[in-house]
Every structure is written in C-alpha cells, then in structure tokens.
C-alpha cells in the first residue's frame, strides 16, 4: 500500500519504520521539503521516499504527525485529500505544553473540520514515543492500539495496518466520543496497556 507521513519528526519516523517493516512504501514529508529528508529516507531503506507536501495525495493512507500548532499551515499546504484516510496521531498540546481549549470538541473533530474531504481515524496518539517505537509484542502479550473514526471502512484499513505492526486493536467508536478518550487529557491517555492471552 502507498502510505505517507505528514511531518516526519519523532513520531512520524517511528511510524514510518513500522510501515516499512510491514512492506509498505512511505512518502516522507516535513516542513523543509524533500531534499532535507534524503538522508533520513536512505537510512530507512528503499521503501522510504522523500517527498514534498504537494505530493502526499499519491498515498492512500496518510499519517498526520505534526505538532498541533502546525495543523492550520498543513491544512493550507496539503492538496485535496478527498476520500483519503488521514490517520490522526496528533495531540492538542500547544508549544508551551499547555492543552488547547477545544471548547468541548474532540481534537480529531477539529482535525476532521480542517481536512473535510479526508476520512479521519484516530490512533496511537495516546502512547508516548517509546511505546509507539517499540515492538508491540510485550512478553507473550500485545500492546493495545485504540482506534476511533466515523468511517467504518477507513477504520478497518487502519486496524489492519495496526495488526500488521503487531498491536491488538480496539475500536472505541466514533471521533466525537472515542477519540476524546484517546487524546491528551482523556482517560486513556499515556496508559501503557497490554493484552495477554487468557
Ligand atoms: N512525542 C511524543 O511522545 C508523542 C506521542 C504521541 C503523539 N504525539 C503527537 O504527535 C505529533 C508530532 O509530535 P513529534 O514529537 O513527532 O513532533 P516533532 O518531532 O516536532 O515533528 C513534527 C514534524 O512536523 C513537521 N512539520 C511542521 N510543519 C509542517 C508542515 N507545514 N508540513 C509538513 N510537515 C510539517 C516538522 O518538519 P520540520 O522537521 O521540517 O520542521 C517535523 O518533522 C504532535 O501532535 C504530538 O502531540 C507525540
């Protein structure tokens, strides 16, 4: 599957590694442009392709891994994402580390408003970087990945990817209710949850 990372920083690179390990091609983007990502792409192998933000709509599934303060700019820069699956891994944390005031909305509802033609699915944001980066196999168990979204087919596609990565996926329902539990400040945030066989 052709995938893309919008924002190949710490989280974006960790997810790119997992996509590549599962055999998917990944377009890597950042704010500085494709040229600045050549060395990083070379270190990740030949499934990693440095790209400009204008090229991301070549991908079917796009991971959104930019800081909350950069979302508006990304929404302005990114081409039309009609029908694309946009996997929201962001948290509504401002640059001074305070939580943004979302006025009762879920953070992913705001992401959906910024990218109205994409099919937004929330996942992995409730973990710290190390738990996203690590192998989700823990002893004889699997780390849990929560998934929320309003589009069932998009959610299934993301669930399949997470299962390929080695997570056990749990569907939390729609963006309005489910993703609120996942986001920073939500009741599932920062919990390291592993499912063990009975
Ligand atoms: N770090 C964690 O433990 C953690 C855990 C879960 C979720 N999150 C969430 O994940 C997101 C990313 O966090 P991070 O720690 O990976 O941040 P980061 O290391 O600062 O990476 C952010 C990336 O976004 C890129 N970017 C900025 N503006 C852009 C634009 N207009 N177009 C394309 N790319 C752009 C940056 O590009 P340049 O390099 O060119 O500046 C950088 O590569 C945040 O929303 C954070 O809340 C973080």
């Amino acid at each position: 599957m052709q995938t893309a990372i919008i924002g190949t920083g710490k989280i974006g690179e960790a997810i790119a590694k997992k996509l590549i390990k599962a055999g998917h091609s990944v377009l890597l983007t950042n704010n500085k442009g494709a040229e600045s990502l050549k060395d990083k792409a070379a270190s990740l192998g030949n499934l990693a392709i440095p790209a400009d933000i204008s090229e991301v709509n070549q991908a079917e599934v796009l991971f959104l891994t930019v800081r909350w303060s950069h979302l508006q700019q990304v929404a302005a820069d990114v081409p039309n994402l009609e029908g694309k699956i946009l996997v929201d891994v962001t948290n509504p944390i401002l640059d001074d580390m305070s939580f943004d005031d979302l006025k009762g909305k879920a953070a992913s509802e705001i992401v959906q408003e910024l990218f109205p033609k994409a099919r937004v699915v929330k996942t992995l944001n409730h973990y710290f970087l190390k738990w996203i980066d690590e192998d989700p196999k823990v002893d004889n168990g699997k780390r849990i990945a929560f998934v929320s979204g309003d589009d069932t087919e998009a959610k299934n596609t993301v669930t399949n990817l997470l299962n390929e990565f080695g997570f056990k996926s749990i569907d939390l329902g729609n963006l309005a209710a489910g993703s609120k539990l996942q986001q920073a400040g939500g009741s599932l945030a920062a919990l390291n949850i592993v499912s063990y066989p009975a």
Side-chain angles (χ1 to χ4, degrees), residues 95-116:
D95 290 347
D96 64 2
M97 299 307 285
S98 65
F99 291 162
D100 197 5
D101 179 3
L102 306 179
K103 308 210 180 333
K105 282 188 185 168
S108 281
E109 290 183 287
I110 291 169
V111 170
Q112 181 68 77
E113 284 169 13
L114 286 169
F115 301 90

Side-chain angles (χ1 to χ4, degrees), residues 51-127:
D52 287 320
I53 198 76
S54 57
E55 300 173 283
V56 288
N57 60 353
Q58 294 169 17
E60 187 182 336
V61 179
L62 303 92
F63 286 79
L64 183 63
T65 52
V66 298
R67 295 185 191 185
W68 191 250
S69 58
H70 293 154
L71 272 183
Q72 300 275 354
Q73 185 59 48
V74 174
D77 292 346
V78 161
N80 184 359
L81 295 184
E82 184 154 11
K84 305 288 184 182
I85 298 173
L86 186 65
V87 187
D88 176 19
V89 194
T90 67
N91 274 310
I93 297 174
L94 300 171
D95 290 347
D96 64 2
M97 299 307 285
S98 65
F99 291 162
D100 197 5
D101 179 3
L102 306 179
K103 308 210 180 333
K105 282 188 185 168
S108 281
E109 290 183 287
I110 291 169
V111 170
Q112 181 68 77
E113 284 169 13
L114 286 169
F115 301 90
K117 297 193 169 171
R119 298 181 284 163
V120 173
V121 177
K122 186 85 165 177
T123 194
L124 292 179
N125 64 297
H126 96 278
Y127 281 135

Side-chain angles (χ1 to χ4, degrees), residues 13-192:
E13 183 172 353
I15 291 171
K17 281 189 211 158
K18 290 195 158 19
L19 288 164
I20 289 165
K21 195 171 171 201
H24 300 288
S25 176
V26 189
L27 299 172
L28 304 179
T29 71
N30 66 6
N31 192 35
K32 299 184 195 82
E35 189 65 31
S36 71
L37 285 161
K38 277 191 171 170
D39 289 348
K40 191 172 274 187
S43 74
L44 293 174
N46 57 11
L47 287 174
I49 304 156
D52 287 320
I53 198 76
S54 57
E55 300 173 283
V56 288
N57 60 353
Q58 294 169 17
E60 187 182 336
V61 179
L62 303 92
F63 286 79
L64 183 63
T65 52
V66 298
R67 295 185 191 185
W68 191 250
S69 58
H70 293 154
L71 272 183
Q72 300 275 354
Q73 185 59 48
V74 174
D77 292 346
V78 161
N80 184 359
L81 295 184
E82 184 154 11
K84 305 288 184 182
I85 298 173
L86 186 65
V87 187
D88 176 19
V89 194
T90 67
N91 274 310
I93 297 174
L94 300 171
D95 290 347
D96 64 2
M97 299 307 285
S98 65
F99 291 162
D100 197 5
D101 179 3
L102 306 179
K103 308 210 180 333
K105 282 188 185 168
S108 281
E109 290 183 287
I110 291 169
V111 170
Q112 181 68 77
E113 284 169 13
L114 286 169
F115 301 90
K117 297 193 169 171
R119 298 181 284 163
V120 173
V121 177
K122 186 85 165 177
T123 194
L124 292 179
N125 64 297
H126 96 278
Y127 281 135
F128 292 122
L129 172 64
K130 63 177 180 174
W131 295 326
I132 296 174
D133 200 29
E134 278 176 12
D135 188 342
K137 184 173 179 302
V138 181
D139 305 322
N140 64 337
K142 289 180 177 184
R143 190 165 277 130
I144 299 287
F146 297 111
V147 185
S148 306
D150 298 341
D151 183 298
T152 302
E153 189 193 55
K155 215 157 42 171
N156 288 342
T157 300
V158 175
T159 296
N160 289 339
L161 279 174
L162 293 164
N163 293 347
E164 287 178 21
F165 296 169
F167 290 96
K168 177 176 171 54
S169 304
I170 294 185
D171 185 347
L172 293 182
N174 65 13
L175 291 180
S179 76
K180 239 185 195 177
L181 303 172
Q182 295 168 261
Q183 72 198 32
S187 49
L188 297 172
L191 295 179
N192 182 17

